[in-house]
Structure formats: C-alpha cells, structure tokens
mmCIF file of all heavy atoms in Angstrom:
data_model
loop_
_atom_site.group_PDB
_atom_site.id
_atom_site.type_symbol
_atom_site.label_atom_id
_atom_site.label_comp_id
_atom_site.label_asym_id
_atom_site.label_seq_id
_atom_site.Cartn_x
_atom_site.Cartn_y
_atom_site.Cartn_z
ATOM 1 N N SER A 1 -3.687 6.930 -11.439
ATOM 2 C CA SER A 1 -3.442 8.373 -11.421
ATOM 3 C C SER A 1 -4.237 9.090 -12.502
ATOM 4 O O SER A 1 -4.542 10.273 -12.376
ATOM 5 C CB SER A 1 -1.951 8.662 -11.602
ATOM 6 O OG SER A 1 -1.199 8.123 -10.551
ATOM 7 N N GLY A 2 -4.572 8.383 -13.575
ATOM 8 C CA GLY A 2 -5.391 9.007 -14.601
ATOM 9 C C GLY A 2 -6.690 9.536 -14.039
ATOM 10 O O GLY A 2 -7.215 10.546 -14.513
ATOM 11 N N TYR A 3 -7.210 8.868 -13.005
ATOM 12 C CA TYR A 3 -8.424 9.337 -12.338
ATOM 13 C C TYR A 3 -8.102 10.360 -11.246
ATOM 14 O O TYR A 3 -8.698 11.433 -11.198
ATOM 15 C CB TYR A 3 -9.188 8.155 -11.734
ATOM 16 C CG TYR A 3 -10.412 8.586 -10.949
ATOM 17 C CD1 TYR A 3 -11.645 8.677 -11.567
ATOM 18 C CD2 TYR A 3 -10.327 8.915 -9.596
ATOM 19 C CE1 TYR A 3 -12.765 9.086 -10.866
ATOM 20 C CE2 TYR A 3 -11.440 9.318 -8.884
ATOM 21 C CZ TYR A 3 -12.652 9.401 -9.523
ATOM 22 O OH TYR A 3 -13.760 9.824 -8.820
ATOM 23 N N TRP A 4 -7.167 10.038 -10.358
ATOM 24 C CA TRP A 4 -6.945 10.863 -9.173
ATOM 25 C C TRP A 4 -6.146 12.128 -9.458
ATOM 26 O O TRP A 4 -6.442 13.186 -8.926
ATOM 27 C CB TRP A 4 -6.236 10.042 -8.090
ATOM 28 C CG TRP A 4 -7.091 8.945 -7.560
ATOM 29 C CD1 TRP A 4 -6.925 7.607 -7.721
ATOM 30 C CD2 TRP A 4 -8.291 9.096 -6.806
ATOM 31 N NE1 TRP A 4 -7.933 6.914 -7.120
ATOM 32 C CE2 TRP A 4 -8.786 7.806 -6.542
ATOM 33 C CE3 TRP A 4 -8.991 10.200 -6.310
ATOM 34 C CZ2 TRP A 4 -9.950 7.588 -5.811
ATOM 35 C CZ3 TRP A 4 -10.159 9.988 -5.586
ATOM 36 C CH2 TRP A 4 -10.625 8.700 -5.344
ATOM 37 N N ASN A 5 -5.117 12.012 -10.270
ATOM 38 C CA ASN A 5 -4.291 13.156 -10.638
ATOM 39 C C ASN A 5 -3.383 12.718 -11.779
ATOM 40 O O ASN A 5 -2.408 12.004 -11.539
ATOM 41 C CB ASN A 5 -3.461 13.651 -9.446
ATOM 42 C CG ASN A 5 -2.726 14.942 -9.739
ATOM 43 O OD1 ASN A 5 -2.531 15.320 -10.892
ATOM 44 N ND2 ASN A 5 -2.300 15.642 -8.691
ATOM 45 N N PRO A 6 -3.687 13.099 -13.021
ATOM 46 C CA PRO A 6 -2.909 12.594 -14.158
ATOM 47 C C PRO A 6 -1.417 12.889 -14.075
ATOM 48 O O PRO A 6 -0.619 12.201 -14.711
ATOM 49 C CB PRO A 6 -3.558 13.286 -15.365
ATOM 50 C CG PRO A 6 -4.293 14.454 -14.799
ATOM 51 C CD PRO A 6 -4.735 14.041 -13.443
ATOM 52 N N ALA A 7 -1.031 13.887 -13.278
ATOM 53 C CA ALA A 7 0.398 14.169 -13.119
ATOM 54 C C ALA A 7 1.147 12.972 -12.547
ATOM 55 O O ALA A 7 2.336 12.773 -12.817
ATOM 56 C CB ALA A 7 0.589 15.384 -12.224
ATOM 57 N N GLY A 8 0.454 12.148 -11.752
ATOM 58 C CA GLY A 8 1.085 10.977 -11.145
ATOM 59 C C GLY A 8 1.473 9.904 -12.135
ATOM 60 O O GLY A 8 2.262 9.003 -11.804
ATOM 61 N N LEU A 9 0.953 9.962 -13.355
ATOM 62 C CA LEU A 9 1.323 8.978 -14.375
ATOM 63 C C LEU A 9 2.799 9.049 -14.733
ATOM 64 O O LEU A 9 3.367 8.084 -15.255
ATOM 65 C CB LEU A 9 0.476 9.185 -15.633
ATOM 66 C CG LEU A 9 -1.020 8.877 -15.517
ATOM 67 C CD1 LEU A 9 -1.739 9.269 -16.798
ATOM 68 C CD2 LEU A 9 -1.252 7.400 -15.206
ATOM 69 N N MET A 10 3.438 10.187 -14.460
ATOM 70 C CA MET A 10 4.859 10.321 -14.773
ATOM 71 C C MET A 10 5.739 9.433 -13.898
ATOM 72 O O MET A 10 6.916 9.245 -14.181
ATOM 73 C CB MET A 10 5.296 11.778 -14.631
ATOM 74 C CG MET A 10 5.021 12.638 -15.851
ATOM 75 S SD MET A 10 5.652 11.928 -17.390
ATOM 76 C CE MET A 10 7.378 11.703 -17.017
ATOM 77 N N ARG A 11 5.194 8.863 -12.844
ATOM 78 C CA ARG A 11 5.983 7.978 -11.988
ATOM 79 C C ARG A 11 5.936 6.534 -12.463
ATOM 80 O O ARG A 11 6.585 5.664 -11.874
ATOM 81 C CB ARG A 11 5.484 8.065 -10.545
ATOM 82 C CG ARG A 11 5.513 9.482 -9.976
ATOM 83 C CD ARG A 11 5.306 9.451 -8.486
ATOM 84 N NE ARG A 11 4.906 10.754 -7.962
ATOM 85 C CZ ARG A 11 4.650 10.988 -6.685
ATOM 86 N NH1 ARG A 11 4.737 10.009 -5.814
ATOM 87 N NH2 ARG A 11 4.293 12.194 -6.279
ATOM 88 N N LEU A 12 5.156 6.258 -13.498
ATOM 89 C CA LEU A 12 5.096 4.906 -14.036
ATOM 90 C C LEU A 12 6.439 4.497 -14.643
ATOM 91 O O LEU A 12 7.086 5.295 -15.312
ATOM 92 C CB LEU A 12 4.019 4.802 -15.113
ATOM 93 C CG LEU A 12 2.551 4.794 -14.675
ATOM 94 C CD1 LEU A 12 1.654 4.825 -15.895
ATOM 95 C CD2 LEU A 12 2.257 3.558 -13.841
ATOM 96 N N GLU A 13 6.803 3.254 -14.417
ATOM 97 C CA GLU A 13 8.014 2.712 -15.032
ATOM 98 C C GLU A 13 7.686 1.668 -16.089
ATOM 99 O O GLU A 13 8.498 1.404 -16.982
ATOM 100 C CB GLU A 13 8.907 2.094 -13.958
ATOM 101 C CG GLU A 13 9.416 3.119 -12.945
ATOM 102 C CD GLU A 13 10.316 2.491 -11.907
ATOM 103 O OE1 GLU A 13 10.495 1.238 -11.959
ATOM 104 O OE2 GLU A 13 10.842 3.215 -11.042
ATOM 105 N N GLN A 14 6.503 1.063 -16.002
ATOM 106 C CA GLN A 14 6.086 0.026 -16.939
ATOM 107 C C GLN A 14 4.611 0.213 -17.281
ATOM 108 O O GLN A 14 3.918 1.030 -16.674
ATOM 109 C CB GLN A 14 6.295 -1.371 -16.323
ATOM 110 C CG GLN A 14 7.712 -1.676 -15.884
ATOM 111 C CD GLN A 14 8.656 -1.865 -17.058
ATOM 112 O OE1 GLN A 14 8.242 -2.106 -18.186
ATOM 113 N NE2 GLN A 14 9.969 -1.769 -16.782
ATOM 114 N N LYS A 15 4.146 -0.580 -18.220
ATOM 115 C CA LYS A 15 2.710 -0.605 -18.527
ATOM 116 C C LYS A 15 1.956 -1.224 -17.358
ATOM 117 O O LYS A 15 2.396 -2.215 -16.778
ATOM 118 C CB LYS A 15 2.457 -1.424 -19.798
ATOM 119 C CG LYS A 15 3.104 -0.858 -21.053
ATOM 120 C CD LYS A 15 2.869 -1.772 -22.226
ATOM 121 C CE LYS A 15 3.550 -1.240 -23.485
ATOM 122 N NZ LYS A 15 3.373 -2.160 -24.646
ATOM 123 N N GLU A 16 0.800 -0.618 -17.025
ATOM 124 C CA GLU A 16 0.010 -1.127 -15.913
ATOM 125 C C GLU A 16 -1.460 -1.216 -16.297
ATOM 126 O O GLU A 16 -1.964 -0.438 -17.116
ATOM 127 C CB GLU A 16 0.160 -0.227 -14.674
ATOM 128 C CG GLU A 16 1.522 -0.284 -14.031
ATOM 129 C CD GLU A 16 1.577 0.466 -12.708
ATOM 130 O OE1 GLU A 16 0.501 0.844 -12.188
ATOM 131 O OE2 GLU A 16 2.690 0.683 -12.195
ATOM 132 N N LEU A 17 -2.135 -2.169 -15.669
ATOM 133 C CA LEU A 17 -3.568 -2.386 -15.874
ATOM 134 C C LEU A 17 -4.251 -2.420 -14.522
ATOM 135 O O LEU A 17 -3.708 -2.973 -13.550
ATOM 136 C CB LEU A 17 -3.798 -3.710 -16.606
ATOM 137 C CG LEU A 17 -5.251 -4.168 -16.799
ATOM 138 C CD1 LEU A 17 -5.966 -3.257 -17.800
ATOM 139 C CD2 LEU A 17 -5.290 -5.620 -17.286
ATOM 140 N N SER A 18 -5.463 -1.843 -14.439
ATOM 141 C CA SER A 18 -6.220 -1.842 -13.189
ATOM 142 C C SER A 18 -7.673 -2.223 -13.466
ATOM 143 O O SER A 18 -8.264 -1.766 -14.458
ATOM 144 C CB SER A 18 -6.165 -0.467 -12.522
ATOM 145 O OG SER A 18 -6.914 -0.466 -11.314
ATOM 146 N N LEU A 19 -8.232 -3.039 -12.586
ATOM 147 C CA LEU A 19 -9.640 -3.449 -12.678
ATOM 148 C C LEU A 19 -10.280 -3.318 -11.308
ATOM 149 O O LEU A 19 -9.651 -3.610 -10.284
ATOM 150 C CB LEU A 19 -9.750 -4.901 -13.149
ATOM 151 C CG LEU A 19 -9.135 -5.245 -14.509
ATOM 152 C CD1 LEU A 19 -9.147 -6.753 -14.728
ATOM 153 C CD2 LEU A 19 -9.880 -4.544 -15.639
ATOM 154 N N MET A 20 -11.538 -2.875 -11.269
ATOM 155 C CA MET A 20 -12.241 -2.723 -9.999
ATOM 156 C C MET A 20 -13.712 -3.036 -10.166
ATOM 157 O O MET A 20 -14.312 -2.729 -11.207
ATOM 158 C CB MET A 20 -12.098 -1.303 -9.457
ATOM 159 C CG MET A 20 -12.638 -1.125 -8.037
ATOM 160 S SD MET A 20 -12.822 0.617 -7.549
ATOM 161 C CE MET A 20 -14.451 0.977 -8.213
ATOM 162 N N HIS A 21 -14.302 -3.654 -9.147
ATOM 163 C CA HIS A 21 -15.748 -3.876 -9.110
ATOM 164 C C HIS A 21 -16.255 -3.600 -7.704
ATOM 165 O O HIS A 21 -15.607 -3.954 -6.717
ATOM 166 C CB HIS A 21 -16.107 -5.306 -9.494
ATOM 167 C CG HIS A 21 -17.562 -5.614 -9.261
ATOM 168 N ND1 HIS A 21 -18.555 -5.149 -10.096
ATOM 169 C CD2 HIS A 21 -18.189 -6.278 -8.260
ATOM 170 C CE1 HIS A 21 -19.727 -5.545 -9.647
ATOM 171 N NE2 HIS A 21 -19.530 -6.225 -8.536
ATOM 172 N N SER A 22 -17.412 -2.981 -7.635
ATOM 173 C CA SER A 22 -18.073 -2.770 -6.353
ATOM 174 C C SER A 22 -19.568 -2.662 -6.567
ATOM 175 O O SER A 22 -20.034 -2.369 -7.671
ATOM 176 C CB SER A 22 -17.542 -1.510 -5.653
ATOM 177 O OG SER A 22 -17.786 -0.368 -6.457
ATOM 178 N N SER A 23 -20.315 -2.928 -5.498
ATOM 179 C CA SER A 23 -21.772 -2.792 -5.516
ATOM 180 C C SER A 23 -22.176 -1.797 -4.444
ATOM 181 O O SER A 23 -21.599 -1.779 -3.347
ATOM 182 C CB SER A 23 -22.447 -4.147 -5.253
ATOM 183 O OG SER A 23 -22.099 -5.081 -6.246
ATOM 184 N N TYR A 24 -23.175 -0.981 -4.762
ATOM 185 C CA TYR A 24 -23.633 0.041 -3.819
ATOM 186 C C TYR A 24 -25.139 -0.076 -3.596
ATOM 187 O O TYR A 24 -25.869 -0.639 -4.417
ATOM 188 C CB TYR A 24 -23.290 1.436 -4.339
ATOM 189 C CG TYR A 24 -21.801 1.711 -4.384
ATOM 190 C CD1 TYR A 24 -21.098 1.702 -5.589
ATOM 191 C CD2 TYR A 24 -21.085 1.957 -3.211
ATOM 192 C CE1 TYR A 24 -19.733 1.944 -5.620
ATOM 193 C CE2 TYR A 24 -19.718 2.195 -3.236
ATOM 194 C CZ TYR A 24 -19.052 2.185 -4.443
ATOM 195 O OH TYR A 24 -17.697 2.416 -4.472
ATOM 196 N N PHE A 25 -25.586 0.478 -2.466
ATOM 197 C CA PHE A 25 -27.007 0.517 -2.123
ATOM 198 C C PHE A 25 -27.602 -0.896 -2.113
ATOM 199 O O PHE A 25 -28.554 -1.196 -2.830
ATOM 200 C CB PHE A 25 -27.780 1.428 -3.077
ATOM 201 C CG PHE A 25 -27.158 2.782 -3.257
ATOM 202 C CD1 PHE A 25 -26.652 3.182 -4.474
ATOM 203 C CD2 PHE A 25 -27.061 3.654 -2.181
ATOM 204 C CE1 PHE A 25 -26.073 4.425 -4.632
ATOM 205 C CE2 PHE A 25 -26.475 4.897 -2.320
ATOM 206 C CZ PHE A 25 -25.979 5.284 -3.549
ATOM 207 N N ALA A 26 -27.011 -1.762 -1.271
ATOM 208 C CA ALA A 26 -27.488 -3.135 -1.098
ATOM 209 C C ALA A 26 -27.527 -3.885 -2.422
ATOM 210 O O ALA A 26 -28.498 -4.578 -2.747
ATOM 211 C CB ALA A 26 -28.858 -3.142 -0.429
ATOM 212 N N ASN A 27 -26.465 -3.730 -3.208
ATOM 213 C CA ASN A 27 -26.296 -4.423 -4.491
ATOM 214 C C ASN A 27 -27.255 -3.965 -5.578
ATOM 215 O O ASN A 27 -27.383 -4.628 -6.617
ATOM 216 C CB ASN A 27 -26.422 -5.944 -4.312
ATOM 217 C CG ASN A 27 -25.293 -6.526 -3.495
ATOM 218 O OD1 ASN A 27 -24.155 -6.091 -3.581
ATOM 219 N ND2 ASN A 27 -25.614 -7.512 -2.675
ATOM 220 N N ILE A 28 -27.901 -2.832 -5.393
ATOM 221 C CA ILE A 28 -28.794 -2.315 -6.424
ATOM 222 C C ILE A 28 -27.977 -1.734 -7.576
ATOM 223 O O ILE A 28 -28.303 -1.941 -8.748
ATOM 224 C CB ILE A 28 -29.741 -1.248 -5.836
ATOM 225 C CG1 ILE A 28 -30.698 -1.899 -4.842
ATOM 226 C CG2 ILE A 28 -30.528 -0.546 -6.943
ATOM 227 C CD1 ILE A 28 -31.595 -0.907 -4.128
ATOM 228 N N ALA A 29 -26.921 -1.012 -7.258
ATOM 229 C CA ALA A 29 -26.100 -0.353 -8.274
ATOM 230 C C ALA A 29 -24.760 -1.062 -8.406
ATOM 231 O O ALA A 29 -24.148 -1.448 -7.401
ATOM 232 C CB ALA A 29 -25.887 1.111 -7.910
ATOM 233 N N GLN A 30 -24.307 -1.206 -9.648
ATOM 234 C CA GLN A 30 -23.040 -1.872 -9.929
ATOM 235 C C GLN A 30 -22.047 -0.848 -10.499
ATOM 236 O O GLN A 30 -22.396 -0.073 -11.391
ATOM 237 C CB GLN A 30 -23.235 -3.008 -10.932
ATOM 238 C CG GLN A 30 -24.288 -4.024 -10.505
ATOM 239 C CD GLN A 30 -23.950 -4.702 -9.195
ATOM 240 O OE1 GLN A 30 -22.813 -5.127 -8.981
ATOM 241 N NE2 GLN A 30 -24.939 -4.821 -8.306
ATOM 242 N N TYR A 31 -20.821 -0.892 -9.979
ATOM 243 C CA TYR A 31 -19.782 0.051 -10.392
ATOM 244 C C TYR A 31 -18.590 -0.751 -10.905
ATOM 245 O O TYR A 31 -18.011 -1.561 -10.164
ATOM 246 C CB TYR A 31 -19.377 0.920 -9.198
ATOM 247 C CG TYR A 31 -18.484 2.098 -9.514
ATOM 248 C CD1 TYR A 31 -19.013 3.376 -9.605
ATOM 249 C CD2 TYR A 31 -17.118 1.929 -9.701
ATOM 250 C CE1 TYR A 31 -18.196 4.461 -9.879
ATOM 251 C CE2 TYR A 31 -16.298 3.009 -9.969
ATOM 252 C CZ TYR A 31 -16.842 4.269 -10.058
ATOM 253 O OH TYR A 31 -16.021 5.344 -10.330
ATOM 254 N N ASN A 32 -18.222 -0.529 -12.154
ATOM 255 C CA ASN A 32 -17.089 -1.235 -12.751
ATOM 256 C C ASN A 32 -16.118 -0.232 -13.372
ATOM 257 O O ASN A 32 -16.547 0.789 -13.926
ATOM 258 C CB ASN A 32 -17.574 -2.210 -13.819
ATOM 259 C CG ASN A 32 -18.391 -3.350 -13.223
ATOM 260 O OD1 ASN A 32 -17.843 -4.233 -12.563
ATOM 261 N ND2 ASN A 32 -19.696 -3.335 -13.438
ATOM 262 N N TYR A 33 -14.842 -0.569 -13.284
ATOM 263 C CA TYR A 33 -13.793 0.361 -13.731
ATOM 264 C C TYR A 33 -12.628 -0.436 -14.303
ATOM 265 O O TYR A 33 -12.250 -1.494 -13.782
ATOM 266 C CB TYR A 33 -13.336 1.198 -12.538
ATOM 267 C CG TYR A 33 -11.984 1.856 -12.667
ATOM 268 C CD1 TYR A 33 -11.816 3.038 -13.381
ATOM 269 C CD2 TYR A 33 -10.870 1.305 -12.028
ATOM 270 C CE1 TYR A 33 -10.569 3.646 -13.472
ATOM 271 C CE2 TYR A 33 -9.624 1.907 -12.110
ATOM 272 C CZ TYR A 33 -9.478 3.075 -12.838
ATOM 273 O OH TYR A 33 -8.250 3.670 -12.924
ATOM 274 N N ALA A 34 -12.070 0.066 -15.391
ATOM 275 C CA ALA A 34 -10.863 -0.519 -15.978
ATOM 276 C C ALA A 34 -9.969 0.607 -16.467
ATOM 277 O O ALA A 34 -10.464 1.626 -16.975
ATOM 278 C CB ALA A 34 -11.217 -1.455 -17.133
ATOM 279 N N ALA A 35 -8.654 0.443 -16.321
ATOM 280 C CA ALA A 35 -7.715 1.488 -16.743
ATOM 281 C C ALA A 35 -6.424 0.865 -17.236
ATOM 282 O O ALA A 35 -6.013 -0.214 -16.786
ATOM 283 C CB ALA A 35 -7.425 2.448 -15.593
ATOM 284 N N PHE A 36 -5.789 1.570 -18.145
ATOM 285 C CA PHE A 36 -4.485 1.172 -18.675
ATOM 286 C C PHE A 36 -3.615 2.424 -18.759
ATOM 287 O O PHE A 36 -4.105 3.509 -19.103
ATOM 288 C CB PHE A 36 -4.629 0.547 -20.067
ATOM 289 C CG PHE A 36 -3.317 0.348 -20.767
ATOM 290 C CD1 PHE A 36 -2.513 -0.736 -20.461
ATOM 291 C CD2 PHE A 36 -2.872 1.260 -21.729
ATOM 292 C CE1 PHE A 36 -1.292 -0.918 -21.100
ATOM 293 C CE2 PHE A 36 -1.657 1.083 -22.378
ATOM 294 C CZ PHE A 36 -0.866 -0.011 -22.054
ATOM 295 N N ALA A 37 -2.341 2.279 -18.438
ATOM 296 C CA ALA A 37 -1.418 3.416 -18.530
ATOM 297 C C ALA A 37 -0.020 2.912 -18.852
ATOM 298 O O ALA A 37 0.338 1.767 -18.530
ATOM 299 C CB ALA A 37 -1.409 4.221 -17.236
ATOM 300 N N MET A 38 0.776 3.793 -19.462
ATOM 301 C CA MET A 38 2.140 3.421 -19.843
ATOM 302 C C MET A 38 2.990 4.670 -20.022
ATOM 303 O O MET A 38 2.472 5.739 -20.377
ATOM 304 C CB MET A 38 2.128 2.641 -21.163
ATOM 305 C CG MET A 38 1.520 3.400 -22.317
ATOM 306 S SD MET A 38 1.565 2.499 -23.891
ATOM 307 C CE MET A 38 3.321 2.689 -24.283
ATOM 308 N N PRO A 39 4.281 4.574 -19.764
ATOM 309 C CA PRO A 39 5.175 5.689 -20.096
ATOM 310 C C PRO A 39 5.382 5.745 -21.604
ATOM 311 O O PRO A 39 5.502 4.714 -22.261
ATOM 312 C CB PRO A 39 6.466 5.345 -19.355
ATOM 313 C CG PRO A 39 6.413 3.871 -19.146
ATOM 314 C CD PRO A 39 4.975 3.488 -19.069
ATOM 315 N N ILE A 40 5.402 6.958 -22.150
ATOM 316 C CA ILE A 40 5.688 7.131 -23.578
ATOM 317 C C ILE A 40 7.192 7.246 -23.795
ATOM 318 O O ILE A 40 7.768 6.589 -24.642
ATOM 319 C CB ILE A 40 4.960 8.378 -24.116
ATOM 320 C CG1 ILE A 40 3.445 8.212 -23.958
ATOM 321 C CG2 ILE A 40 5.332 8.618 -25.577
ATOM 322 C CD1 ILE A 40 2.650 9.455 -24.334
ATOM 323 N N ASP A 41 7.818 8.095 -22.995
ATOM 324 C CA ASP A 41 9.268 8.248 -22.992
ATOM 325 C C ASP A 41 9.671 8.769 -21.621
ATOM 326 O O ASP A 41 8.875 8.707 -20.674
ATOM 327 C CB ASP A 41 9.725 9.187 -24.123
ATOM 328 C CG ASP A 41 8.974 10.518 -24.131
ATOM 329 O OD1 ASP A 41 8.683 11.040 -23.028
ATOM 330 O OD2 ASP A 41 8.675 11.032 -25.224
ATOM 331 N N ASP A 42 10.861 9.291 -21.490
ATOM 332 C CA ASP A 42 11.340 9.750 -20.181
ATOM 333 C C ASP A 42 10.612 10.995 -19.689
ATOM 334 O O ASP A 42 10.706 11.341 -18.501
ATOM 335 C CB ASP A 42 12.838 10.039 -20.239
ATOM 336 C CG ASP A 42 13.652 8.778 -20.425
ATOM 337 O OD1 ASP A 42 13.123 7.685 -20.129
ATOM 338 O OD2 ASP A 42 14.810 8.884 -20.879
ATOM 339 N N GLN A 43 9.881 11.684 -20.568
ATOM 340 C CA GLN A 43 9.257 12.947 -20.184
ATOM 341 C C GLN A 43 7.745 12.966 -20.328
ATOM 342 O O GLN A 43 7.119 13.999 -20.088
ATOM 343 C CB GLN A 43 9.850 14.088 -21.022
ATOM 344 C CG GLN A 43 11.325 14.335 -20.758
ATOM 345 C CD GLN A 43 11.851 15.525 -21.534
ATOM 346 O OE1 GLN A 43 11.448 15.772 -22.671
ATOM 347 N NE2 GLN A 43 12.761 16.276 -20.927
ATOM 348 N N SER A 44 7.120 11.847 -20.681
ATOM 349 C CA SER A 44 5.673 11.858 -20.864
ATOM 350 C C SER A 44 5.077 10.476 -20.648
ATOM 351 O O SER A 44 5.762 9.457 -20.798
ATOM 352 C CB SER A 44 5.295 12.381 -22.249
ATOM 353 O OG SER A 44 5.855 11.563 -23.258
#
C-alpha cells in the first residue's frame, strides 16, 4: 500500500515484508523492489 495508496497501510495488523523481481524488454531491463511496513499504534 505504500506504493499503491498509503492509506491502505492502516489495515496492517503485523509487520510485513515484500520482495519483487521482474525483467522487461526481453530481459534487457531489470526491475527490483523491496518494501517493509508495520503498524505504529491503533491510529497510525
């Protein structure tokens, strides 16, 4: 949600980790992504 819509982070209940890899244009370009998110308290 940090990428798509940060408001969605409020639905997190635990710490989460995300990893992604993809190749584009017949493997010429490499796309890598990593994210971490966590609830701070009941309101943030």
Side-chain angles (χ1 to χ4, degrees):
S1 298
Y3 176 91
W4 293 111
N5 187 341
L9 292 174
M10 276 308 304
R11 303 193 198 179
L12 286 174
E13 296 181 357
Q14 303 289 341
K15 297 177 182 178
E16 290 188 12
L17 175 70
S18 179
L19 301 172
M20 188 193 85
H21 171 75
S22 61
S23 299
Y24 293 104
F25 310 115
N27 293 324
I28 293 175
Q30 305 300 315
Y31 190 101
N32 293 288
Y33 160 80
F36 169 80
M38 59 178 285
I40 299 174
D41 51 37
D42 292 340
Q43 295 184 324
S44 60

